[in-house]
Amino acid sequence: MTATPATPVTAIPAPSSCVTGEGRFTFTSTTRLTADPALARAAEWTRQVLTPATGLRLPEGPGGVEFRLVEGLAPEEYRLTATTRSVLIEASAPPGAFYGAQTLRQLLDPAAYRAARTGERAWSIPEVTIRDAPRYGWRGCLIDVARHFLPKPDLLRYIDLLAAHKLNVLHLHLTDDQGWRLEIRKYPKLTEVGAWRRESPLGARRHRLFDGRPHGGYYTQDDIREVVSYAADRFVTIVPEIDLPGHTQAAIAAYPQLGNLATPLEVRTEWGVGENVLNVSDETIAFFTDVLDEVLELFPGRYVCVGGDETPKTQWNESVPAKERIRELGLRDADELQSWLMRHFTDYLLARGRKPLGWDELLEGGLPPGVTVGAWRGHTCTATAARAGHDVVVSPFAETYLDFRQAEGDQEPVPIGSVTSLEAVHSFDPVPPGLAERDRILGAQAALWTEHIDSPRLLDYMAFPRLAAFAEAMWSDERDFDDFLVRLAVHEKRLDALSVEYRPATGPHPWQRRPDAPGHPRTRAEIDRELAIWTSNLHP
């Protein structure tokens, strides 16, 4: 990126190509906004967000700001040209126009991010020429709403935050041992029983502390339709996750016939990997096929995640029906039984024109063509999946899990894992060194697992500003951290205007600390040793 020092472009993510001049375009009460009909959504969004903050009506018609449809640009690519007399945003498709509109907003004073006017001011942007396109097509963030429920208004707010950072995928982790968050009409007990637990751990599980407070919540089907529509208007795709066959204790608590034990279970109140997994009966398979039927009605996107991670085989190894199923199918062991079970669900999705996404443990039993792998256990899994011919979404927990602590010291709230610093996130590259199959890497996603994130305020703290650094890593080839910090100082004013309670560079504010909830800090060397053990049976 090149820019004159006097008028630096402060947009995050950093534009691919940028040249600034010495003049400025000034918005006035007569400034009009017009768009080719194919790009009208971006123009309407621009009007909706800028009018309350600026007090300018931006009526439709030829004038100062134009969205123009052109050929020769990729769907998410745009050109923005601002002179002293006009602003032109060119794109070949609606997503590119929308990202051009986001950059237009970023070029304005940070007060453009407020919900209403805060006083009289001149609204202008620098004379600038930007040509911009993303580095990766999958620029995502996972939010775990199963461990701690995120109410719908807060979820909508996060969709706006993702869009503001030009992220385009929201992976919703909807089900787990500790809660089921999606209404299923055919099986109402999934939310009547499975959507709440009687208490939650307080801090890391090793301390055996609990808060004694019931926790719960779920999204109705109309809630989900609203969320999906809201996201689509901002060019964010929702990827739902129904975790199978492990991480299912909440479902088993609601419908005991899904499990392997004769004794009833409650929705799990501890973190970590639980022993309770689904049985492999035809009835259980039919149950979750019914669940996925409703999921497909609600989520029109191409991708559906069916989990497949962290599935202990203890109950299957002790289960007479599971052993009979293994023998009946001519399988070798319980690991192959999981592969057989998961293939049913991936085949189901493929037959309906969807693309199944599963965590990288599925590689251990072999995967059919068409299954996309979520690689969370490091470069070994990424390379193994890509070389086996699978598309890969990269999300390594040592680099992109934003529930990991941000710095050394006990001041961090519920410090777990190794340190995932702002600089480390900014330097993240999803492609393993030496990988020839680079075209198999769709992109990457950061992850906000919420075992220890029990409020929207803490979610803000753990997400930002690291999510801004991740967005830049996914959008731009630039890796100038010092330049990023200069632009971040301006970007934090935007986050302030949006009331995002990000982590200050100097450390948490007093109210952002959690001395009541002790963590479990670990070193990166410990994490790397664990990764090596987990992936020792894979050969990239």
Side-chain angles (χ1 to χ4, degrees):
M1 180 178 75
T2 59
T4 60
T7 53
V9 173
T10 56
I12 291 180
S16 305
S17 174
C18 171
V19 178
T20 61
E22 297 181 357
R24 299 187 73 85
F25 172 81
T26 300
F27 290 78
T28 70
S29 59
T30 60
T31 298
R32 296 180 177 273
L33 187 153
T34 187
D36 184 283
L39 308 180
R41 287 168 60 191
E44 182 56 30
W45 177 86
T46 304
R47 186 179 290 109
Q48 288 175 359
V49 297
L50 293 187
T51 296
T54 63
L56 302 173
R57 293 192 306 112
L58 300 176
E60 187 172 350
V65 181
E66 178 186 357
F67 289 82
R68 181 182 300 171
L69 189 68
V70 297
E71 296 181 354
L73 299 180
E76 293 188 307
E77 187 177 6
Y78 68 91
R79 288 193 297 255
L80 187 155
T81 305
T83 69
T84 57
R85 289 192 273 183
S86 67
V87 176
L88 174 63
I89 296 173
E90 297 172 292
S92 68
F98 180 74
Y99 296 132
Q102 290 286 3
T103 294
L104 174 62
R105 190 186 191 191
Q106 289 168 330
L107 291 168
L108 289 164
D109 186 280
Y113 285 79
R114 295 196 176 273
R117 297 172 64 193
T118 58
E120 296 297 328
R121 58 165 39 86
W123 295 97
S124 65
I125 66 171
E127 189 176 12
V128 64
T129 301
I130 295 172
R131 180 159 183 167
D132 203 9
R135 183 183 181 203
Y136 292 104
W138 188 300
R139 306 179 303 281
C141 180
L142 179 149
I143 299 182
D144 169 21
V145 296
R147 272 53 173 268
H148 279 102
F149 179 65
L150 190 65
K152 186 188 67 179
D154 298 295
L155 185 57
L156 297 177
R157 172 176 174 263
Y158 256 80
I159 290 170
D160 279 324
L161 289 172
L162 298 186
H165 291 80
K166 301 187 176 78
L167 297 171
N168 64 353
V169 176
L170 172 57
H171 180 151
L172 273 186
H173 185 75
L174 290 162
T175 68
D176 216 294
D177 292 326
Q178 297 85 9
W180 184 284
R181 307 294 177 210
L182 176 64
E183 178 190 20
I184 300 296
R185 295 188 306 269
K186 191 167 185 177
Y187 301 114
K189 288 183 181 179
L190 286 172
T191 47
E192 290 172 1
V193 175
W196 73 277
R197 59 178 180 268
R198 59 180 172 82
E199 64 179 356
S200 306
L202 190 62
R205 65 179 181 270
R206 68 184 313 183
H207 302 290
R208 304 298 303 166
L209 298 174
F210 293 85
D211 63 9
R213 297 171 54 201
H215 178 83
Y218 68 93
Y219 306 111
T220 68
Q221 294 207 352
D222 277 346
D223 288 338
I224 289 297
R225 292 185 182 96
E226 178 185 355
V227 168
V228 168
S229 178
Y230 190 88
D233 286 343
R234 289 149 181 81
F235 300 94
V236 174
T237 298
I238 307 289
V239 175
E241 179 174 355
I242 305 297
D243 212 342
L244 305 169
H247 293 283
T248 49
Q249 187 166 323
I252 297 169
Y255 292 93
Q257 69 269 25
L258 300 174
N260 296 281
L261 305 178
T263 55
L265 298 170
E266 66 173 352
V267 177
R268 196 162 191 249
T269 59
E270 297 183 16
W271 308 138
V273 179
E275 293 288 332
N276 293 296
V277 303
L278 299 178
N279 63 44
V280 291
S281 69
D282 291 339
E283 293 76 14
T284 293
I285 293 172
F287 182 102
F288 277 94
T289 302
D290 292 339
V291 168
L292 289 174
D293 283 342
E294 296 194 28
V295 169
L296 297 191
E297 290 178 14
L298 295 169
F299 297 93
R302 295 175 64 199
Y303 290 88
V304 175
C305 184
V306 289
D309 61 313
E310 297 179 327
T311 303
K313 307 302 191 299
T314 305
Q315 291 184 352
W316 286 354
N317 288 330
E318 297 174 353
S319 163
V320 171
K323 291 177 182 178
E324 290 178 351
R325 181 71 97 176
I326 290 171
R327 185 167 54 253
E328 165 197 327
L329 295 170
L331 303 177
R332 184 176 55 191
D333 54 22
D335 289 330
E336 289 195 356
L337 182 62
Q338 179 181 353
S339 298
W340 169 82
L341 179 65
M342 294 306 295
R343 184 165 293 220
H344 169 85
F345 295 113
T346 58
D347 286 349
Y348 161 91
L349 291 171
L350 289 168
R352 285 154 182 79
R354 302 300 184 93
K355 295 186 74 68
L357 171 67
W359 297 111
D360 58 42
E361 284 94 333
L362 296 181
L363 292 168
E364 296 167 5
L367 281 173
V371 177
T372 300
V373 174
W376 71 278
R377 295 181 300 170
H379 278 332
T380 297
C381 293
T382 300
T384 300
R387 289 168 182 160
H390 294 284
D391 289 340
V392 187
V393 175
V394 186
S395 186
F397 83 130
E399 287 86 13
T400 64
Y401 277 23
L402 303 186
D403 53 323
F404 276 26
R405 60 198 173 114
Q406 304 187 56
E408 298 285 359
D410 59 6
Q411 80 279 4
E412 296 298 318
V414 202
I416 63 166
S418 55
V419 172
T420 302
S421 68
L422 181 66
E423 184 172 8
V425 174
H426 188 261
S427 65
F428 170 65
D429 188 339
V431 180
L435 182 68
E437 296 81 1
R438 296 177 64 93
D439 60 327
R440 286 292 181 182
I441 308 302
L442 301 181
Q445 62 187 29
L448 287 160
W449 298 102
T450 62
E451 287 95 333
H452 309 294
I453 302 175
D454 61 1
S455 71
R457 298 182 77 180
L458 187 52
L459 192 69
D460 278 4
Y461 177 91
M462 300 305 291
F464 291 101
R466 291 186 295 181
L467 196 59
F470 175 81
E472 180 153 304
M474 291 303 98
W475 185 275
S476 174
D477 286 324
E478 296 290 330
R479 283 296 188 276
D480 187 336
F481 186 64
D482 289 336
D483 178 64
F484 170 77
L485 291 179
V486 171
R487 288 180 288 109
L488 181 61
V490 177
H491 190 61
E492 286 178 344
K493 296 177 182 178
R494 303 185 190 110
L495 297 179
D496 288 334
L498 291 167
S499 297
V500 176
E501 296 193 29
Y502 57 88
R503 182 191 188 275
T506 54
H509 294 297
W511 59 87
Q512 293 174 320
R513 299 176 182 177
R514 288 294 303 273
D516 62 320
H520 179 203
R522 304 177 69 191
T523 67
R524 181 59 189 266
E526 290 176 308
I527 297 292
D528 288 342
R529 284 194 295 270
E530 197 166 51
L531 277 172
I533 293 170
W534 288 348
T535 59
S536 60
N537 60 341
L538 296 177
H539 304 286

